[in-house]
Amino acid sequence: MYAFLILMSIISVFPLLWMVIAATNKSVDVTRGRLIPGTYLFENFKNLIAAQNVGSAMLNSFKYAIILTFVSLVICSLAGYGFEIFHDKAKDAVMSVILLAMMVPFVATMIPLFRMFSKAHLLNTTLGFLLPTVSTPFLIMMFRQSARSFPHDIIEAARIDGLSEIRIFFQMFIPTMRSTYAAAMTITFMNAWNNYLWPKVIMTDAESQTMPMVVANLTQGYVTDYGMLMLAVLICTLPTAIVFFCLQKSFAEGITGAVK
């Protein structure tokens, strides 16, 4: 059993290990399948900086991901809390419609969204990046499920003591559901950071590019520098990996609590 788990762990970690090794080698060594770290890391980094505006792309990715994560957590948690705490049949019908939206692929709405945002002069703007994904049915459902485990007796006692609904939400609900917020933050940040299709459509200016767009740009042309490409992929992967590893315990607890 342990041998099988060790084998599966090696298989799972190998792609990441190969990416790190490839980032230190020349393109020709990568294509030959070299599995020994090289000495070409700084050369790949210099070539990457010269080929793409990595600094601007990193700043854009962090800005969009952080803002989207914060706004999504506030909006989706308020919606999930409201759907459960102020529960009635009409809200159940609305929630069913929201969940049906999960079945509509984004590519089906991408062209109408682009035309609408273009007419609203929201191209190459943070607001244009945020609006289509600022509220997702999955996060609303996740917070609604978590709100079901929140004691309603505490809410009634707080109301009797004179607390407003906003104070109950911010002072009592949010601190209690820290693990759910950690799980939602991890999911939202990773989705926002790795988002490629919508930024590619809405961000027509080179100064507004994100890291996934920079990585995609490196594969264009007749010749691809795989060492430089692997370094760009590694740089693009690190922020999401760090966020996940820092919040993995809370992420597991939050997902488990939401399912219950």
Side-chain angles (χ1 to χ4, degrees), residues 181-239:
Y181 276 90
M185 183 179 72
T186 304
I187 294 171
T188 307
F189 182 86
M190 293 177 68
N191 289 339
W193 183 274
N194 295 323
N195 193 4
Y196 170 75
L197 184 57
W198 179 243
K200 185 67 175 178
V201 172
I202 198 72
M203 301 299 180
T204 58
D205 188 359
E207 296 299 323
S208 302
Q209 289 188 342
T210 60
M211 277 304 297
M213 297 168 66
V214 167
V215 172
N217 291 339
L218 296 175
T219 62
Q220 299 175 359
Y222 296 102
V223 179
T224 301
D225 189 334
Y226 291 102
M228 182 174 64
L229 176 61
M230 288 298 102
L231 178 59
V233 173
L234 178 61
I235 294 173
C236 187
T237 304
L238 283 177

Side-chain angles (χ1 to χ4, degrees), residues 53-248:
N53 193 349
V54 178
S56 176
M58 286 289 289
L59 288 176
N60 289 334
S61 292
F62 273 114
K63 179 179 70 174
Y64 299 146
I66 292 173
I67 295 176
L68 179 60
T69 300
F70 176 77
V71 177
S72 293
L73 290 184
V74 174
I75 292 177
C76 293
S77 61
L78 277 170
Y81 178 85
F83 273 117
E84 182 57 32
I85 302 303
F86 306 99
H87 182 267
D88 57 40
K89 292 184 178 180
K91 290 186 178 66
D92 286 341
V94 174
M95 189 66 195
S96 299
V97 174
I98 292 175
L99 293 178
L100 285 174
M102 296 176 66
M103 302 181 185
V104 180
F106 180 74
V107 292
T109 60
M110 184 174 60
I111 295 177
L113 280 174
F114 175 78
R115 294 185 62 183
M116 181 172 62
F117 279 49
S118 178
K119 291 181 180 179
H121 304 288
L122 292 177
L123 300 181
N124 299 308
T125 63
T126 304
L127 187 61
F129 178 91
L130 298 179
L131 285 179
T133 53
V134 73
S135 177
T136 62
F138 175 78
L139 285 184
I140 294 175
M141 179 184 66
M142 181 177 173
F143 280 108
R144 186 190 183 191
Q145 292 296 110
S146 296
R148 289 183 176 178
S149 63
F150 189 70
H152 285 225
D153 294 340
I154 295 179
I155 297 176
E156 294 298 332
R159 289 170 179 169
I160 293 173
D161 289 340
L163 264 69
S164 64
E165 297 298 332
I166 293 297
R167 290 186 64 187
I168 292 174
F169 176 79
F170 282 100
Q171 295 182 8
M172 300 178 65
F173 180 77
I174 290 180
T176 305
M177 299 297 172
R178 287 193 300 267
S179 60
T180 303
Y181 276 90
M185 183 179 72
T186 304
I187 294 171
T188 307
F189 182 86
M190 293 177 68
N191 289 339
W193 183 274
N194 295 323
N195 193 4
Y196 170 75
L197 184 57
W198 179 243
K200 185 67 175 178
V201 172
I202 198 72
M203 301 299 180
T204 58
D205 188 359
E207 296 299 323
S208 302
Q209 289 188 342
T210 60
M211 277 304 297
M213 297 168 66
V214 167
V215 172
N217 291 339
L218 296 175
T219 62
Q220 299 175 359
Y222 296 102
V223 179
T224 301
D225 189 334
Y226 291 102
M228 182 174 64
L229 176 61
M230 288 298 102
L231 178 59
V233 173
L234 178 61
I235 294 173
C236 187
T237 304
L238 283 177
T240 54
I242 292 172
V243 169
F244 179 79
F245 282 120
C246 291
L247 299 175
Q248 58 179 333

